[in-house]
Amino acid sequence: MNLPFGPPIDLSNLSNFVQVDARPRRSVFVGRVSTKDNQNPSSSIPRQVALAAQRLEEGEEFAAYFWDVESGMLPTEARGLAPQEMYEALRVPTRRDGGLQDLLAHAEPMGITHVLAERADRVARAMLTSLTTEHQLQQAGAEVVYANEPQGGTESGRLRTRRYGQVEAEVYRTVMLEMSMGGQYQHALGGWNHGYPPYPYIAVVDENAPPPPRGRFGEARPKKKLAPHPDPRRYDASRELCRLRREEHLKSGDIISILSADPERYPIDGQWTHNLVEGLIANPKLTGYQVYNRKASRTGRPGFSQWNPISKWVWSPGPVHEAVVSLAEWKQAQEVTAGLRAGAEGGPLLRIQAAARQQGLTVTKVDNTSSHTRYRIGTRHVVLPTPIPDAVAQQIIEDLERAA
């Protein structure tokens, strides 16, 4: 902003009349396309470059191009992880010197002074992510410029426009998530399957489902329901492994030994594993119901998902495919599994629960990972390994007795 408060005489010949950045201007492009399927990166990225280039100075060119093809809902640490082969296959005419992570890593070493984008949501749809990115670039000496922002005027006006745009991007992100999840819920309520079919099933196209609409990139995937696997032995194997857990309280290692000893009766591609056995025992789809939202995949950690509490699962109103076990049998198996993980009857968790009851407290499971579980004991939260070692349980019990 030009201030109308100049000196009474011409002082422009003094060396410190203006503050000059000793670094040469070095501008780079940053962009993003949500998906390679529902958008066309080969046209979207060059369009973004053309718009951002309007903020270049006369005769200036971009020193580098940083762009990604992925959701703007991802945090910075989860961005730009797709293999280079995927980007090469897209045949985007704009060269790619890296993604957002690369930009943040190389902004200072490259001497970048300006980062130009079409608009704020091309950096990220989550406001916290875009603000964090702007701050990191500012710390590296780079100014972020969005082509859709007005030039001139006051700094407060420019900032207001930018923040409104970032809020709008995050609201749009939330609306899209709500609409997407709503559609997935209805998909499950209709009895249609998500993901790979469990071991005793195959996924078959539902001929009675409404025909999928045709979009700009062709027809959507047809809706599929689960049907028994052509090999009936898979049903028998699934029933048996569930029974071994439910009635005989066997751990996965013992179940694997029994199934592996009779491959003709219990066939498997490859070999029986702990994850397969435990996954089947825990899978509610074996009850004949369609169930969605068992896992949260957007955790901010690439390749990592976590279990949602059962209260957040979405169940079809009734059975929609042939059941392997009843709901009551499935629930009983989950209770046995919980007991085994706690150390079985008289195990560490039960001892902790008994000690807590003596103090008038309850022990409630809050959440868990594959290796640890967080419990609430009264108002106190503790994280314990799974299974709970006896020494750790004894320490918790002693702490409860001292607190009393």
Side-chain angles (χ1 to χ4, degrees):
M1 180 173 65
N2 294 321
L3 297 177
F5 314 117
I9 63 174
D10 184 11
L11 302 179
S12 60
N13 62 323
L14 298 182
S15 60
N16 62 341
F17 181 74
V18 293
Q19 188 174 9
V20 179
D21 189 344
R23 300 179 303 163
R25 182 179 169 100
R26 190 174 179 84
S27 301
V28 299
F29 165 79
V30 63
R32 182 187 58 79
V33 179
S34 293
T35 67
K36 60 184 175 61
D37 299 317
N38 296 328
Q39 292 180 295
N40 189 349
S42 63
S43 61
S44 180
I45 293 298
R47 181 188 63 79
Q48 293 178 42
V49 170
L51 291 171
Q54 296 177 14
R55 291 303 183 91
L56 291 171
E57 292 188 348
E58 185 176 354
E60 184 186 12
E61 295 182 355
F62 284 121
Y65 299 83
F66 298 93
W67 51 273
D68 295 311
V69 178
E70 59 197 1
S71 171
M73 302 178 188
L74 296 175
T76 52
E77 64 270 17
R79 294 279 295 273
L81 301 179
Q84 182 61 26
E85 292 75 16
M86 184 204 81
Y87 285 101
E88 293 173 354
L90 296 175
R91 300 183 181 278
V92 177
T94 303
R95 84 167 190 264
R96 183 175 185 269
D97 299 296
L100 183 60
Q101 278 202 53
D102 300 293
L103 169 61
L104 295 174
H106 296 103
E108 189 169 4
M110 288 181 61
I112 295 173
T113 60
H114 295 81
V115 176
L116 277 55
E118 176 196 3
R119 57 179 190 263
D121 63 0
R122 294 303 183 184
V123 173
R125 289 203 180 278
M127 189 172 182
L128 177 61
T129 304
S130 60
L131 290 175
T132 302
T133 300
E134 288 179 13
H135 176 71
Q136 289 181 274
L137 290 171
Q138 185 181 29
Q139 294 297 104
E143 178 185 354
V144 179
V145 179
Y146 299 126
N148 69 330
E149 293 179 352
Q151 293 179 281
T154 62
E155 175 65 15
S156 60
R158 184 197 65 80
L159 188 62
R160 183 177 291 109
T161 300
R162 174 167 297 191
R163 295 297 178 256
Y164 281 166
Q166 290 168 328
V167 169
E168 185 179 61
E170 181 148 349
V171 170
Y172 177 83
R173 163 186 178 267
T174 305
V175 170
M176 289 296 100
L177 278 175
E178 290 173 347
M179 294 175 64
S180 174
M181 289 300 291
Q184 299 300 331
Y185 291 170
Q186 292 303 317
H187 188 82
L189 294 174
W192 297 300
N193 187 58
H194 292 83
Y196 293 104
Y199 167 78
Y201 297 103
I202 59 173
V204 297
V205 175
D206 183 6
E207 301 294 343
N208 297 319
R214 184 177 181 83
R216 14 178 331 221
F217 295 96
E219 292 185 0
R221 288 176 294 181
K223 296 183 181 295
K224 295 183 178 182
K225 287 192 173 183
L226 295 179
H229 194 279
D231 188 345
R233 295 177 298 173
R234 292 198 175 208
Y235 248 62
D236 296 335
S238 300
R239 287 195 184 97
E240 179 62 10
L241 69 86
C242 290
R243 186 195 69 80
L244 291 171
R245 170 60 55 82
R246 184 179 66 252
E247 297 180 4
E248 301 188 26
H249 295 203
L250 295 186
K251 296 183 178 180
S252 59
D254 299 321
I255 296 175
I256 289 172
S257 298
I258 293 173
L259 299 179
S260 300
D262 195 351
E264 287 299 318
R265 185 178 179 186
Y266 309 120
I268 185 66
D269 297 330
Q271 60 183 5
W272 291 98
T273 64
H274 168 84
N275 287 342
L276 177 57
V277 169
E278 293 294 341
L280 283 172
I281 292 172
N283 198 327
K285 293 182 182 181
L286 269 61
T287 65
Y289 288 78
Q290 187 56 245
V291 186
Y292 174 67
N293 201 37
R294 292 187 297 143
K295 285 186 177 182
S297 57
R298 293 189 183 277
T299 61
R301 295 171 57 187
F304 177 82
S305 59
Q306 63 186 21
W307 289 99
N308 286 326
I310 295 178
S311 59
K312 291 188 177 181
W313 294 3
V314 178
W315 297 68
S316 59
V320 291
H321 52 260
E322 186 174 337
V324 173
V325 295
S326 69
L327 262 175
E329 290 172 332
W330 179 84
K331 180 181 179 182
Q332 185 181 352
Q334 310 318 302
E335 293 170 341
V336 173
T337 298
L340 291 172
R341 289 179 176 173
E345 186 176 357
L349 180 59
L350 298 184
R351 288 165 44 210
I352 292 173
Q353 290 172 329
R357 279 196 300 270
Q358 292 179 358
Q359 312 300 332
L361 305 174
T362 58
V363 180
T364 306
K365 176 182 173 182
V366 178
D367 54 33
N368 69 283
T369 66
S370 59
S371 60
H372 288 77
T373 302
R374 181 158 62 103
Y375 297 94
R376 185 175 63 249
I377 305 177
T379 59
R380 176 187 174 193
H381 285 248
V382 295
V383 178
L384 304 176
T386 305
I388 304 172
D390 289 330
V392 174
Q394 185 60 36
Q395 182 64 50
I396 297 294
I397 293 170
E398 291 175 2
D399 289 346
L400 288 170
E401 292 173 348
R402 281 197 295 268

